[in-house]
Amino acid sequence: MRLLLLGVFLIGCSDDEPARPPPREVVLETEVLADGLSPELAFEIPASSRSISVIVEGMADGLYALGAFSLGDRVELVNLPAGAPGAAMEASYVGEQIGQMPGGLFQSIRLGTFTHVYPYKPGQLVVDGTGRMRVASNRPGPVTVRLVMPEDDGASTLGLNLYIVSDTVADPNTPEFAAEVARLFAQADIDVVINGVTRLTGTALARITDFSEPQEAPTSQSAMLPGLVADRATTGLDIFYVESLPPGVGGLALGTPGPPVRGSYYFGVVVRGGLPSLELARITAHEAGHFLALQHVLNRGVSGRTYPDPLDDTTPGADNLMEGGTTLTAGQAFALSRSALLTAP
Ligand SMILES: [Zn+2]
């Protein structure tokens, strides 16, 4: 087992200088063993953290989630059933095409790169101190774990970088579009700032023809879009407007939630361009909502079984941005407010 705690060496221990708070971003290297779990990793949670984003980067064909997770109070939150987790992960992701991890923590199993953001519902607290976790997977092998723990500083601005991946699709950023995106996120007290609109021509990714359930794979066309702009020194979330998506698909998020890490092949959301402004705004907000925090109010698996979101105040069939509508509940607003992608004005 290799375990590398970047930044820990900067913390002074001598008596004559005050102890510095632990770093807000940590990278750990470990590996999933033959039993489908990594050894336990410990990490320090700084005081006053907005949230903990756990990003697990592994092999492109491996399914990943958390096999154990506890915060400073040492209360185990996952409580996996006994036995190797790989078969249950494959049953939910591949068989049921849902990808919900067994156990007490609401987790979306993910191919290649997994993301969890805690808290995701009201009442969950980030308890500082020593956190502990294990990675679960159906594939033994090395993984990199990133922990992003921004300060709970009231940040409430979401920057959006709009990319038009086409020579011909119209600029989505009309006044009507901008006003509607702002109105939708204002329900969560989030101010949307559109940082800019950039047209990317000649990319061979203008028409996305592949699509997979429950989410896109690392080798999909959609997951190649972030690579087009990975080296840009910008903040905020990237939105890619393409000429076409497979029939019936208006947009897709590359994570539910997605990794708040520029450079990841899952960093961004994809939207079919050329739609009327209000519809374009609603799809953009829906997909960005997924990426920051939100599940559909209700998903249905291949078996017919239904899977509700983890929130207490959403109702299937009621108007909601995470169904076909536009409303956000207080629980959804709380989940969005924890995103590491939010910045100060
Ligand atoms: Zn959706």
Side-chain angles (χ1 to χ4, degrees), residues 37 64-67 78 80 85 88-89 92 99-109 114 136-137:
L37 293 169
Y64 297 93
L66 291 173
V78 181
L80 275 191
M89 294 172 76
S92 182
Q100 197 164 312
M101 186 68 176
L105 195 67
F106 194 104
Q107 305 188 64
S108 297
I109 300 164
F114 162 84
S137 179

Side-chain angles (χ1 to χ4, degrees), residues 286-287 290 296 322:
H286 175 100
E287 303 305 341
H290 276 315
H296 289 151
M322 301 320 289

Side-chain angles (χ1 to χ4, degrees), residues 182-193:
R183 182 185 78 82
L184 295 171
F185 275 99
Q187 298 177 92
D189 293 325
I190 291 172
D191 299 316
V192 172
V193 173

Side-chain angles (χ1 to χ4, degrees), residues 97-157:
Q97 297 193 357
I98 288 290
Q100 197 164 312
M101 186 68 176
L105 195 67
F106 194 104
Q107 305 188 64
S108 297
I109 300 164
R110 198 77 167 90
L111 265 177
T113 297
F114 162 84
T115 305
H116 180 75
V117 180
Y118 189 94
Y120 53 80
K121 64 185 288 186
Q124 295 175 329
L125 297 175
V126 181
V127 183
D128 62 6
T130 302
R132 296 169 203 278
M133 57 165 285
R134 292 179 196 268
V135 176
S137 179
N138 65 336
R139 293 267 186 280
V143 293
T144 300
V145 177
R146 293 175 195 278
L147 296 149
V148 180
M149 300 169 282
E151 187 178 0
D152 190 11
D153 55 2
S156 61
T157 298

Side-chain angles (χ1 to χ4, degrees), residues 259-274:
V261 178
R262 179 165 294 280
S264 169
Y265 49 65
Y266 285 156
F267 186 77
V269 309
V270 187
V271 174
R272 183 152 63 93

